[in-house]
Amino acid sequence: MRRNAVELDKMRRAGKVVAEMHEATRAAIRPGVSTMDLNKIAAEVIEKRGAKSNFLGYHGFPAVICSSPNDMIVHGIPSETVILEEGDIISIDCGAIIEGYHGDAAYTAGVGEISKAAQRLIDVTERSMYAGIEQLTKGNRLHEVGRAVETVALAAGYGVVREYVGHAIGTAMHEQPQVPNYWPGSPGPTLKTGMVFAIEPMINIGGEETMLLEDGWSVVTADGSLSAHFEHTIAVTDNGPEIFTLP
Ligand code: MG
Ligand code: MG
C-alpha cells in the first residue's frame, strides 16, 4: 500500500518516538539492570510523547518492549528477574503509534564488555540491515532486500533466521507483504514511492533454526548460539529510502 504525505508525516512522528525509546533504553543498559527496568523506561517515553504502544496487548503481549538476551532471537518478555550481566548482549524491539500510524524498530547492544565474537555479530547484523534498506528504491523489487541482507550475513558465516521476517507497516504494525531476510525465489512486488516497510534481520552466530519456549513468546536459537536483531521503519521516496526510526 502507498501512503500519502499526511500519513507519512504521522509515521515519521511515530518513528521519532520509537527512536527516543531506543535512546532511552540504550542509555540505561548496564549490568544489574532488569529487562523490566528497560520496559518502564520505554513506557515513560510513550507516555511523555502522547503515543500508544503497538506491542502492549498485541495477541496478549504484556509489555511495550520485547527484550531478548543472548541466544534469544525475538519476543522476550521483560521481567524483574531477568537481570543484565556483564558480557551479555540484549536485543530490544519496540514500537509506537501516533494518530493510528505505526513505527517499529529494534537494536542489539552489549552489556559492559562483550566478546569479540558477540561484537562482530552485532556489527554484521546492523550492516546487513543497512544493506537491505539500501534496496528500498523506487522501481526496485522488494525481495532484493532479502538478497542483500543474506549476502552480508552469509559472507560472515552466520545463520539467517527464516521463520520470522520483516513486513510492510502503516495503520497496523504488521501489514502485507512480508519481507524475508533471504532470497525467497522470486523478486516480489515492484517498489513505489509511499510504500513503508520494517526491515529487520535476525542473525545467529550458528544455525538458522529457532525454538519457541514454553511461555509461548520467547524465540531462541535451536543450537544455543548468540543472536542479534536490528530493525528500522523506512519509506520508499522519490529520493531513496527515508528511515523514520532514527533520532
Ligand atoms: Mg519490531
Ligand atoms: Mg517488525
Side-chain angles (χ1 to χ4, degrees), residues 67-74 82-91 108-111 114-115 118 121-122 203-205 219-221 224-229:
S67 52
S68 308
N70 299 321
D71 65 335
M72 198 175 289
I73 301 168
V74 284
V82 178
I83 311 288
L84 301 182
E85 291 179 30
E86 180 89 16
D88 283 347
I89 65 171
I90 177 78
S91 297
T108 301
V111 181
I114 61 172
S115 70
L121 172 69
I122 291 173
I203 307 295
N204 307 337
I205 284 186
V219 178
V220 298
T221 57
S225 67
L226 291 179
S227 185
H229 180 205

Side-chain angles (χ1 to χ4, degrees), residues 130-214:
Y130 281 110
I133 289 172
E134 277 177 22
Q135 297 299 320
L136 290 178
T137 55
K138 189 170 68 166
N140 199 10
R141 303 292 288 266
L142 180 63
H143 294 329
E144 293 299 336
V145 170
R147 173 147 53 191
V149 167
E150 178 176 61
T151 297
V152 171
L154 296 183
Y158 294 150
V160 177
V161 171
R162 298 170 79 93
E163 282 175 86
Y164 302 88
V165 295
H167 48 94
I169 178 168
T171 51
M173 180 159 60
H174 296 136
E175 298 185 344
Q176 292 296 327
Q178 294 191 333
V179 187
N181 294 304
Y182 53 89
W183 177 253
S186 66
T190 300
L191 297 172
K192 299 191 174 93
T193 291
M195 291 178 165
V196 188
F197 298 98
I199 303 302
E200 52 175 318
M202 289 145 264
I203 307 295
N204 307 337
I205 284 186
E208 68 195 38
E209 296 80 14
T210 71
M211 198 169 70
L212 182 66
L213 297 188
E214 279 176 7

Side-chain angles (χ1 to χ4, degrees), residues 10-11 14-16 18 54-55 94-98 101-105 169-170 172-173 198 231 233 244-245:
K10 289 173 180 172
M11 297 192 74
K16 293 288 179 222
V18 180
N54 39 14
F55 280 46
C94 57
I97 308 171
I98 290 281
Y101 288 82
H102 291 242
D104 181 15
I169 178 168
M173 180 159 60
E231 176 179 29
T233 295
F244 286 163
T245 39

Side-chain angles (χ1 to χ4, degrees), residues 21-22 25-26 29 35 38 42 65-68 90-94 105-109 229:
M21 294 165 81
H22 279 199
T25 52
R26 197 187 265 279
I29 288 172
T35 52
L38 300 178
I65 67 169
C66 293
S67 52
S68 308
I90 177 78
S91 297
I92 303 293
D93 190 357
C94 57
Y107 68 91
T108 301
H229 180 205

